[in-house]
Amino acid sequence: MINSVICQDLGIKYPVFQGGMAWIADSSLASAVSNAGGLGIIAGMNMNGEQLKEEIRKTRSLTDKPFGVNIMLMSPFAEEVSDVVIEEKVPVITTGAGNPVIYMKKWLAAGIKVIPVVASVALAKMVERRGAYAVVAEGGESGGHIGELATMPLVREVCSAVNIPVIAAGGIADGAGLAAAFMLGASGVQMGTRFLVADECTAHENYKQMVLKAGDRDTIVTGRKSGHPVRALKNTFSRQYKEKEEDAAVTAEELDLLGRGALRRAAREGDTETGSFLCGEVAGLVTKKESAADIVRSVCEEAELLFKGAAQWVK
Amino acid sequence: MINSVICQDLGIKYPVFQGGMAWIADSSLASAVSNAGGLGIIAGMNMNGEQLKEEIRKTRSLTDKPFGVNIMLMSPFAEEVSDVVIEEKVPVITTGAGNPVIYMKKWLAAGIKVIPVVASVALAKMVERRGAYAVVAEGGESGGHIGELATMPLVREVCSAVNIPVIAAGGIADGAGLAAAFMLGASGVQMGTRFLVADECTAHENYKQMVLKAGDRDTIVTGRKSGHPVRALKNTFSRQYKEKEEDAAVTAEELDLLGRGALRRAAREGDTETGSFLCGEVAGLVTKKESAADIVRSVCEEAELLFKGAAQWVK
């Protein structure tokens, strides 16, 4: 077993979080990861309070283990769901797409462990001061909305700057990645892409096949120009979006229209043409479908072997 | 001491390469790193044959240890210097900015160990087939010309795909980074940014001060649009370049003119306004000036402690 402070503190067996991926991270995947001994996380995405409440309750019906909810701060329902997680006594909250400090006080007062996703040292230090239990330091090699820094320097720089636990995310899909993250000072990892192909992941089969087939250079970043970069698999949609955003004649409204519904079309309909298949650079390492339990366990077992064998590198 | 196959094979004490940075990596820095037990590397950059010959001879006058030359494949003198390294019996060649296979046969015939810098699994596999001794897998968090993938997923994916040694580069500046790289499967690391502030680095003092002061978010990437992305510190030059390249009214010639001489102005003149100060994302970890020997030794000693202590993470 891997010895990490976050396991004791969060009541989990393995220091592995499952990323709160929009249209992907539902009660099915989150409960499977939590049952496996990791921390499953429900994606709050753009759900309203009622919808999130239902997803939380479904998750509770499938697992009695701790789980988390990811609050997407740009959601129009952020305020509403920020109360739902308190009413529902969710043990862990991760936050994305912004600065969570306005909600932190009430979450902390409710006894919730708050773990913001950060892409810079400055935000990590700020949320530490406000009482965050830990941070997820997520590098730009991850799928979905990304920051500017890569995992290797970001995790190391954040670990050097804060005294709370750091969970490394971005570019991690196996035990070697987990072991590397620990060397950088992290106390756990968050994986998204690897869980896309989990048996309990309800993403459309086409999505899973695309991830399984993808190699190292099969993702593309769009939205850099608008300041909201997103990493996804190369396909008709992402290539077209990239082309259009570089075309000065295309308006922000047209781009917005093009993107609308694209995540749902990918995850739920498997529309390989017009869907946006968010995915990390690490897709090349994801080559087989497995249960969430097998993923969590094998990642940690691989890392354990590396930890035990590390003394071989010293002579 | 760290046990790595590259130490035995290359006749070095520590598995640490110093990156072949243009206008920076001269005989002074390269010999200091080699004398320290790492692998110093002379930047071939745009030198002609005579110039490179002189730099190699200067290096030899300063060290009797193995060193390398980095051949920049886009140089107008690439063909010429590709012969000089054979005449001068340089033990190790690294290559950058392109595909080195057209030169590899003659280098290998001369007994030179060829270690191409790669940014993708495909190039790593290709140069392995052609007889490369190893590859430097360099992630986009590094300074200077960068690829698309980040170090964490790139190194892991390259290590999973080839059977030759892999040297990890990009985002590595301390022992934690070296230890993380080994966990990913690497047999050594290459550092650039950390060596910018080495006592023996002849870069202008202004350059060193800028690196020492830089935090995690103080680099910027220009040239993505033209397909030749470069990472440098944010300053008047890099901000202006970025603005101009996004301005459709600015021609490629104007951009070229703006960039001409900018590396020399940074490294040799310390011109903080119009110089291009290439630097990695990891600058935030580089906080003090030291000798090359202290850098190489302390990085390896930190990593050794991590290797010896890794079993603590297993219970």
Side-chain angles (χ1 to χ4, degrees):
Chain A
M1 293 299 301
I2 293 176
N3 194 11
S4 165
V5 63
I6 68 167
C7 291
Q8 287 113 57
D9 291 350
L10 303 179
I12 56 179
K13 193 172 161 191
Y14 298 107
V16 174
F17 288 16
Q18 155 254 311
M21 302 166 277
W23 293 103
I24 303 281
D26 56 11
S27 55
S28 172
L29 181 59
S31 64
V33 172
S34 286
N35 281 330
L39 188 78
I41 296 178
I42 302 167
M45 50 181 211
N46 284 333
M47 284 183 193
N48 64 29
E50 271 313 302
Q51 291 167 321
L52 180 60
K53 205 174 280 188
E54 196 187 321
E55 208 59 35
I56 292 170
R57 290 177 182 184
K58 264 195 214 164
T59 305
R60 280 230 162 83
S61 75
L62 297 166
T63 185
D64 56 0
K65 298 285 197 308
F67 62 91
V69 169
N70 177 261
I71 305 280
M72 211 271 281
L73 297 162
M74 289 185 340
S75 160
F77 302 103
E79 181 72 40
E80 193 177 323
V81 297
S82 77
D83 288 324
V84 166
V85 289
I86 295 174
E87 291 159 30
E88 295 294 318
K89 301 185 195 305
V90 170
V92 178
I93 290 173
T94 64
T95 61
N99 184 329
V101 295
I102 53 164
Y103 303 119
M104 283 181 66
K105 210 169 171 178
K106 67 178 177 188
W107 288 338
L108 293 170
I112 298 175
K113 290 206 156 57
V114 182
I115 310 182
V117 178
V118 302
S120 72
V121 168
L123 187 55
K125 286 167 86 165
M126 180 190 295
V127 299
E128 178 185 39
R129 279 196 303 274
R130 301 299 185 101
Y133 163 69
V135 290
V136 175
E138 182 175 77
E141 51 264 65
S142 70
H145 283 271
I146 57 173
E148 283 184 24
L149 292 161
T151 301
M152 193 77 123
L154 175 68
V155 170
R156 187 70 196 123
E157 294 182 61
V158 168
C159 287
S160 303
V162 301
N163 293 308
I164 52 177
V166 175
I167 288 94
I172 297 169
D174 62 10
L178 187 148
F182 271 62
M183 289 291 161
L184 296 175
S187 302
V189 297
Q190 176 168 291
M191 301 191 299
T193 304
R194 177 87 188 253
F195 285 117
L196 281 173
V197 301
D199 296 336
E200 298 88 346
C201 174
T202 60
H204 195 280
E205 180 62 23
N206 292 353
Y207 203 147
K208 297 186 178 189
Q209 289 304 323
M210 284 170 77
V211 173
L212 291 170
K213 280 178 197 143
D216 58 324
R217 290 178 51 95
D218 289 337
T219 69
I220 187 173
V221 176
T222 56
R224 275 215 175 93
K225 217 173 160 181
S226 69
H228 296 288
V230 168
R231 182 179 300 284
L233 289 171
K234 287 177 183 166
N235 72 340
T236 307
F237 170 81
S238 55
R239 287 201 183 90
Q240 222 168 55
Y241 194 97
K242 179 105 190 158
E243 228 167 77
K244 283 192 192 287
E245 73 180 352
E246 276 164 14
D247 181 347
V250 176
T251 64
E253 288 70 33
E254 282 176 80
L255 273 179
D256 190 53
L257 198 64
L258 184 65
R260 206 169 295 166
L263 295 183
R264 189 189 43 73
R265 288 196 297 275
R268 309 268 53 107
E269 296 166 23
D271 182 338
T272 56
E273 295 287 313
T274 75
S276 174
F277 293 80
L278 305 185
C279 180
E281 288 183 358
V282 87
L285 292 179
V286 179
T287 53
K288 64 174 176 175
K289 293 207 246 177
E290 286 166 292
S291 67
D294 283 342
I295 293 173
V296 172
R297 196 179 47 237
S298 65
V299 164
C300 291
E301 282 176 359
E302 288 160 20
E304 263 186 61
L305 285 179
L306 285 166
F307 291 149
K308 286 184 192 164
Q312 69 170 327
W313 288 315
V314 185
K315 65 177 175 190
Chain B
M1 295 295 304
I2 293 176
N3 196 10
S4 164
V5 63
I6 69 166
C7 292
Q8 288 113 56
D9 291 349
L10 303 178
I12 56 179
K13 195 172 160 190
Y14 298 107
V16 174
F17 288 16
Q18 155 255 311
M21 301 166 277
W23 293 103
I24 302 279
D26 56 10
S27 53
S28 173
L29 181 59
S31 64
V33 173
S34 286
N35 281 331
L39 188 77
I41 295 178
I42 302 166
M45 48 181 213
N46 283 333
M47 285 183 193
N48 64 29
E50 271 314 301
Q51 292 168 321
L52 180 59
K53 205 174 280 186
E54 197 187 319
E55 209 57 37
I56 292 170
R57 289 178 183 182
K58 267 195 211 164
T59 305
R60 280 231 162 84
S61 75
L62 296 167
T63 186
D64 56 0
K65 299 283 198 307
F67 63 90
V69 169
N70 177 262
I71 305 281
M72 210 271 279
L73 298 161
M74 288 185 341
S75 161
F77 301 103
E79 180 73 40
E80 194 177 322
V81 298
S82 77
D83 288 325
V84 166
V85 290
I86 295 175
E87 290 159 30
E88 295 293 318
K89 299 186 195 311
V90 169
V92 178
I93 291 172
T94 64
T95 61
N99 184 331
V101 296
I102 53 163
Y103 302 119
M104 283 182 67
K105 209 168 170 180
K106 66 179 177 187
W107 289 337
L108 294 171
I112 298 173
K113 289 205 156 59
V114 182
I115 309 183
V117 178
V118 302
S120 71
V121 168
L123 186 55
K125 286 167 85 165
M126 182 190 294
V127 299
E128 178 185 40
R129 279 196 303 273
R130 300 300 184 102
Y133 163 69
V135 290
V136 175
E138 183 175 76
E141 49 264 66
S142 70
H145 283 273
I146 56 173
E148 283 183 25
L149 292 160
T151 300
M152 193 77 123
L154 175 67
V155 169
R156 187 70 198 123
E157 293 181 63
V158 168
C159 287
S160 302
V162 301
N163 293 308
I164 53 177
V166 175
I167 288 94
I172 298 169
D174 63 8
L178 187 148
F182 271 61
M183 289 292 162
L184 296 175
S187 302
V189 297
Q190 176 168 292
M191 300 191 301
T193 303
R194 177 87 187 254
F195 284 118
L196 281 172
V197 301
D199 297 334
E200 299 89 345
C201 174
T202 60
H204 194 282
E205 181 62 23
N206 293 353
Y207 203 145
K208 295 186 180 189
Q209 290 304 324
M210 285 169 76
V211 173
L212 291 170
K213 281 178 198 143
D216 58 325
R217 290 179 50 97
D218 289 337
T219 68
I220 186 172
V221 176
T222 57
R224 274 215 176 93
K225 217 172 158 181
S226 69
H228 296 287
V230 168
R231 183 179 300 284
L233 289 172
K234 287 177 184 166
N235 71 342
T236 307
F237 170 81
S238 56
R239 286 201 184 90
Q240 223 169 54
Y241 195 98
K242 181 106 190 157
E243 228 166 79
K244 282 190 192 288
E245 73 180 352
E246 276 165 14
D247 181 349
V250 176
T251 64
E253 288 69 34
E254 283 176 79
L255 272 180
D256 190 53
L257 199 65
L258 184 66
R260 206 170 295 168
L263 295 183
R264 189 188 43 72
R265 289 197 297 275
R268 309 269 53 106
E269 296 166 21
D271 183 337
T272 55
E273 296 289 312
T274 74
S276 173
F277 293 81
L278 305 185
C279 181
E281 287 182 0
V282 88
L285 292 179
V286 178
T287 53
K288 65 173 175 174
K289 293 207 247 177
E290 287 167 292
S291 67
D294 282 343
I295 293 172
V296 172
R297 198 181 42 240
S298 66
V299 164
C300 291
E301 282 175 0
E302 288 160 20
E304 263 184 59
L305 285 180
L306 285 166
F307 291 149
K308 285 184 194 163
Q312 71 172 325
W313 288 315
V314 184
K315 63 178 176 190

